[in-house]
Amino acid sequence: MARARTGVRALGAVLAAVLGFSLAGCSSTGGKRAEDARKASAAAGKAVVDTPRWTFAMVTHSGDGDTFWDIVQKGAEEAAAKDNINFLYAKSDEGQQQAQLVQTYVDKKVDGLIVTLAKPDAMKAAVEKAVAAGIPVITVNSGSAQSKAYGALTHIGQDETVAGEAVGDELDERGRKKALCVLHEQGNVGHEQRCAGAKKTFGGDLVNLYVDGTNMPDVQATIEAKLQTDPSIDAVVTLGAPFADTAVKAKRAAGSKAEIDTFDLNAKVAASLKDGTLGFAVDQQPYLQGYEAVDLLWLYRYNADVLGGGKPVLTGPQIITRDDAGELEDYTKRGTR
């Protein structure tokens, strides 16, 4: 009997070994090979689908030199390469010019449009014309409140009010009493919502400061003057990564001890979080906004898929601190966070 059991064990071991080898062989020659091929194609900028060569266009409200939008664009371009999409990109920080760019793409009869609605009133007619022309539209980053009403399939981004509320809570946890919220683009409804959200949940006093975001020396001088005249300010919140470093310079020039915090993440912000120059950052994952916008348009054209169920697809907010910066630093250096 003992020998019989041993034989059964031996046979079982042989069968298990054969089955394991078989599965490993399938993985290495099938699934793994397919995955390696997919990665190689994506790295080479080659499509991994055989759907038609559709043309998608993205029009944002980015100004020149804004690294945030470089990350959004990178995400969109990498999704486009994967999805066999001819991707076009244009930008203007002026609402009427942005609307004209949208109209240009409508006239070209693109197969899909991705737009931002930082200045929704200026964009309303252009977006509605695109929808009326049968062009599917997805809004990203700003304009979640207007997206559905204008006829867009869905909105991808963070809820700016919720993001602001998260900032107010974080300031409270850090024991701050008076904060400065620096708005660098007048007329941008998302920026107003961020500061209003922070003011709603912050237990201390929050003051809005408007600056000319196209003129960094002026931004620094304005923040510096405010810190000099009001030494009770113990926190400065900027609404974009490029402005965080300028706020740090203003703080030093003013001799202030205020903590500098910011919305958005880039390589400089990650490094500054890591060394303690910045307190925290609010990440809304811009790469994901660009990538998912293209992917969702492709899914709609290919399979009539729509995500969100009538609600925005949220990519943030995520509070990033010194503890998180090291893990994300490599991603920021390659331009995807």
Side-chain angles (χ1 to χ4, degrees):
M1 295 294 291
R3 287 181 180 176
R5 285 196 296 271
T6 302
V8 170
R9 288 196 190 101
L11 178 59
V14 170
L15 289 173
V18 171
L19 181 59
F21 179 81
S22 171
L23 291 174
C26 289
S27 176
S28 62
T29 60
K32 185 177 186 300
R33 184 174 294 172
E35 177 63 11
D36 289 344
R38 185 196 68 77
K39 289 179 179 178
S41 295
K46 296 179 182 177
V48 295
V49 298
D50 59 0
T51 46
R53 180 74 170 169
W54 292 311
T55 295
F56 296 165
M58 174 182 278
V59 184
T60 74
H61 63 276
S62 170
D64 292 333
D66 192 333
T67 56
F68 177 91
W69 292 104
D70 294 340
I71 302 172
V72 175
Q73 187 177 349
K74 184 178 181 67
E77 288 172 345
E78 293 192 355
K82 171 181 68 71
D83 292 340
N84 193 30
I85 298 300
N86 176 35
F87 178 73
L88 307 175
Y89 180 82
K91 61 183 176 63
S92 175
D93 56 4
E94 296 293 332
Q96 291 300 328
Q97 291 181 16
Q98 187 188 1
Q100 289 171 9
L101 290 169
V102 170
Q103 183 61 56
T104 298
Y105 286 133
V106 172
D107 294 340
K108 289 183 177 180
K109 299 180 180 179
V110 297
D111 300 297
L113 264 172
I114 303 160
V115 301
T116 62
L117 300 178
K119 296 169 183 174
D121 291 343
M123 293 290 291
K124 184 175 187 292
V127 172
E128 290 177 341
K129 284 181 182 178
V131 173
I135 299 173
V137 177
I138 286 179
T139 60
V140 298
N141 181 259
S142 54
S144 60
Q146 295 82 11
S147 178
K148 187 176 181 180
Y150 289 7
L153 297 175
T154 193
H155 178 82
I156 303 171
Q158 71 179 3
D159 184 300
E160 303 293 15
T161 299
V162 171
E165 291 172 353
V167 168
D169 289 338
E170 185 69 18
L171 290 172
D172 280 337
E173 286 189 20
R174 291 166 176 269
R176 303 299 158 183
K177 301 301 181 184
K178 187 167 187 179
L180 201 61
C181 196
V182 183
L183 298 94
H184 61 267
E185 185 181 341
Q186 292 194 37
N188 186 321
V189 293
H191 289 185
E192 297 287 348
Q193 289 168 345
R194 289 178 182 181
C195 292
K199 189 178 184 68
K200 179 181 176 181
T201 57
F202 182 40
D205 184 21
L206 186 139
V207 178
N208 286 358
L209 180 68
Y210 293 89
V211 297
D212 179 3
T214 64
N215 185 339
M216 280 299 190
D218 178 70
V219 173
Q220 180 176 336
T222 305
I223 297 174
E224 181 182 335
K226 187 66 176 178
L227 292 175
Q228 286 177 334
T229 57
D230 190 351
S232 67
I233 295 172
D234 57 8
V236 176
V237 180
T238 62
L239 302 187
F243 302 93
D245 189 51
T246 301
V248 169
K249 294 175 182 177
K251 164 189 170 176
R252 289 171 179 164
S256 170
K257 295 182 179 180
E259 177 181 277
I260 308 299
D261 307 304
T262 190
F263 279 77
D264 303 333
L265 190 67
N266 62 14
K268 178 65 175 177
V269 168
S272 296
L273 287 170
K274 194 174 179 180
D275 67 20
T277 303
L278 297 179
F280 68 88
V282 185
D283 186 22
Q284 60 175 305
Q285 302 184 99
Y287 178 89
L288 194 59
Q289 292 178 14
Y291 192 98
E292 286 303 310
V294 169
D295 238 15
L296 292 188
L297 275 180
W298 178 84
L299 284 165
Y300 181 78
R301 297 294 315 213
Y302 175 65
N303 205 45
D305 289 320
V306 179
L307 286 183
K311 302 291 185 181
V313 178
L314 299 182
T315 63
Q318 179 183 11
I319 299 294
I320 306 295
T321 66
R322 188 174 193 167
D323 295 337
D324 312 300
E327 180 183 358
L328 299 178
E329 193 171 21
D330 287 343
Y331 303 144
T332 63
K333 288 178 180 177
R334 75 180 183 190
T336 57
R337 286 297 290 264

